[in-house]
Amino acid sequence: MRRAVFPGTFDPITLGHLDIINRALPLFDEIIIAIGVNADKKTMFTLEERLKFIEDIFKDEEKVVVESYSGLTAKYCIEKDAQFIVRGLRNTTDLNYEQPIAQTNYQMTNVETIFLICSPEVSNISSTIVRDVMRNNGDYSKLVPTSVKSK
């Protein structure tokens, strides 16, 4: 089985995340959308809310599993028998950030990172921007899936 982990905070999940997940689905038998829990990171949405947003979106997709985890992503992949990590890239800044992490993960565990370039129409979207728009009562409806819009 080709199993991949798509890790992130997903605070909140965005249309950019959906773009990467939907494009990765044909490549793998299973994708675990893994919400990383970092006690030092303050989130806008609770872990339970983030899990529910994603579970609602993929409730009819049998190839998607939604879980949370803490610790190193590479170790989580080994625990889940996942051979791949999926990461989305919006720009070269993302690549410069993700490349050494991917190399370290591979060096530690032989888990391969697969980079997918996001579609141009969502390349401007980040959870950070979405949270800022939300905090300031802006229209974020074109940035997030319906399950987040109803929040």
Side-chain angles (χ1 to χ4, degrees):
M1 175 182 273
R2 289 177 321 221
R3 181 176 290 132
V5 170
F6 184 48
T9 307
F10 303 106
D11 186 38
I13 190 165
T14 69
L15 294 180
H17 293 126
L18 289 188
D19 175 59
I20 296 301
I21 295 163
N22 288 325
R23 291 177 42 233
L25 278 170
L27 305 175
F28 303 101
D29 299 309
E30 182 178 86
I31 296 177
I32 302 170
I33 302 173
I35 302 175
V37 177
N38 180 342
D40 297 332
K41 196 169 189 179
K42 184 168 172 24
T43 59
M44 177 178 266
F45 297 97
T46 67
L47 175 60
E48 292 73 24
E49 288 173 316
R50 291 177 282 148
L51 285 165
K52 181 156 178 27
F53 291 155
I54 299 169
E55 287 166 351
D56 287 350
I57 294 165
F58 292 102
K59 65 181 178 281
D60 297 324
E61 180 51 68
E62 60 192 37
K63 290 171 67 172
V64 170
V65 174
V66 184
E67 295 184 352
S68 65
Y69 75 103
S70 59
L72 294 173
T73 301
K75 287 178 96 176
Y76 175 76
C77 290
I78 297 302
E79 290 170 18
K80 294 297 176 176
D81 196 27
Q83 307 89 353
F84 305 96
I85 297 172
V86 172
R87 297 301 292 159
L89 300 176
R90 294 170 294 188
N91 51 45
T92 56
T93 302
D94 284 352
L95 176 61
N96 289 334
Y97 175 78
E98 294 288 347
Q99 181 181 351
I101 297 169
Q103 290 168 324
T104 303
N105 285 339
Y106 185 77
Q107 189 176 36
M108 287 187 330
T109 61
N110 288 334
V111 174
E112 193 71 66
T113 299
I114 306 298
F115 293 115
L116 295 175
I117 307 297
C118 69
S119 299
E121 60 271 14
V122 295
S123 65
N124 63 303
I125 302 173
S126 73
S127 292
T128 302
I129 289 171
V130 171
R131 287 192 307 272
D132 192 46
V133 171
M134 291 174 115
R135 275 190 209 101
N136 291 288
N137 298 315
D139 180 7
Y140 56 92
S141 63
K142 293 181 180 166
L143 307 174
V144 298
T146 306
S147 65
V148 177
K149 290 177 197 172
S150 62
K151 169 66 178 140

